[in-house]
Amino acid sequence: MLNKYARAFFTRVLTPFAALLLRWGVSPDAVTLIGTAGSVAGALVFFPRGEFFWGTITITLFIFSDLVDGNMARQAGRSSKWGAFLDSTLDRVADAAIFGGLAMWYAGTGDNNLLCVVAIFCLASGQVVSYTKARGESLGFPVDVSGLVERAERLVITLVAAGVAGLHTFGLPYVEWLLPFALWVVAVGSLVTMLQRILTVRRESIEMERAAAALAGAEGAE
């Protein structure tokens, strides 16, 4: 849902900015690299120190590059498989930095080993959720399921909760619990999504094998 509606809205909003960057001679790949570097820096500089508000602001600003680079490529007529590969690969790097930064906080000053484990699980499960779809499609299965929590949902839930929880340092009470709650939601949602995709590939595999056997039987009867 977020991918469908939010991406369409922000694509329209950011189209003039993408056109401006193209006029300045900036390439889509450069925007992808800068966006990833900024997201990683924001996550690994601010989150391990518990500065969740400023970390979230920094990461959010750079995450919008994920919409700008594709918009630039379409406007310039330079959409390519390489660009799609680079964008998808670096998205995983940024995601890992976000949850890695949170894990570092809970392993250190945050002093909560359980939440450290949950953050690491969010990191790992997010990668596996993406891998199950990519691997299934590479084997010829449509993987016809979106799942409960995809990348957009993982980022929105985690970053909104982190940003609001960060307001605790400015004196806003009772908001620090939002981040642990969000991590549990993302962890459970990612697990459900992973199982949804695995079971979907299993079902599609059985259906494909049955179709192939029926076809072979029909050819044999002839």
Side-chain angles (χ1 to χ4, degrees):
M1 182 177 67
L2 287 171
N3 276 326
K4 181 179 180 180
Y5 296 106
R7 182 176 287 270
F9 170 76
F10 283 111
T11 295
R12 290 195 298 271
V13 171
L14 294 172
T15 292
F17 180 61
L20 177 63
L21 291 177
L22 286 172
R23 288 197 295 271
W24 287 348
V26 180
S27 72
D29 287 353
V31 172
T32 302
L33 291 168
I34 292 171
T36 301
S39 296
V40 169
L44 297 182
V45 170
F46 292 103
F47 282 179
R49 297 189 297 181
E51 297 178 8
F52 299 126
F53 177 78
W54 294 116
T56 299
I57 293 298
T58 302
I59 294 166
T60 301
L61 289 174
F62 282 102
I63 275 180
F64 279 110
S65 67
D66 190 42
L67 301 176
V68 174
D69 55 7
N71 194 314
M72 292 172 64
R74 287 189 294 272
Q75 289 190 48
R78 296 191 308 211
S79 296
S80 65
K81 292 183 178 179
W82 158 250
F85 169 81
L86 179 66
D87 185 61
S88 179
T89 299
L90 294 184
D91 281 348
R92 307 299 169 260
V93 174
D95 292 358
I98 290 170
F99 289 105
L102 294 174
M104 291 170 66
W105 160 253
Y106 286 116
T109 308
D111 193 24
N112 192 316
N113 289 336
L114 178 59
L115 287 176
C116 176
V117 171
V118 173
I120 292 172
F121 179 82
C122 290
L123 188 163
S125 60
Q127 309 301 315
V128 175
V129 164
S130 298
Y131 175 80
T132 51
K133 186 173 180 64
R135 182 57 174 163
E137 290 175 342
S138 73
L139 293 172
F141 302 114
V143 196
D144 190 19
V145 61
S146 293
L148 181 64
V149 174
E150 295 185 290
R151 182 175 187 257
E153 286 81 7
R154 287 197 304 272
L155 289 180
V156 169
I157 292 170
T158 303
L159 292 178
V160 168
V164 175
L167 294 175
H168 178 70
T169 59
F170 295 94
L172 188 64
Y174 310 120
V175 293
E176 62 274 13
W177 60 269
L178 286 174
L179 182 54
F181 177 75
L183 287 175
W184 278 108
V185 170
V186 171
V188 172
S190 297
L191 177 61
V192 171
T193 303
M194 184 169 56
L195 293 175
Q196 284 178 305
R197 291 188 173 177
I198 290 172
L199 293 175
T200 297
V201 171
R202 175 60 177 164
R203 174 178 54 79
E204 292 171 349
S205 174
I206 292 172
E207 291 173 354
M208 190 175 294
E209 289 171 359
R210 287 175 178 171
L215 180 61
E219 292 176 348
E222 295 177 359

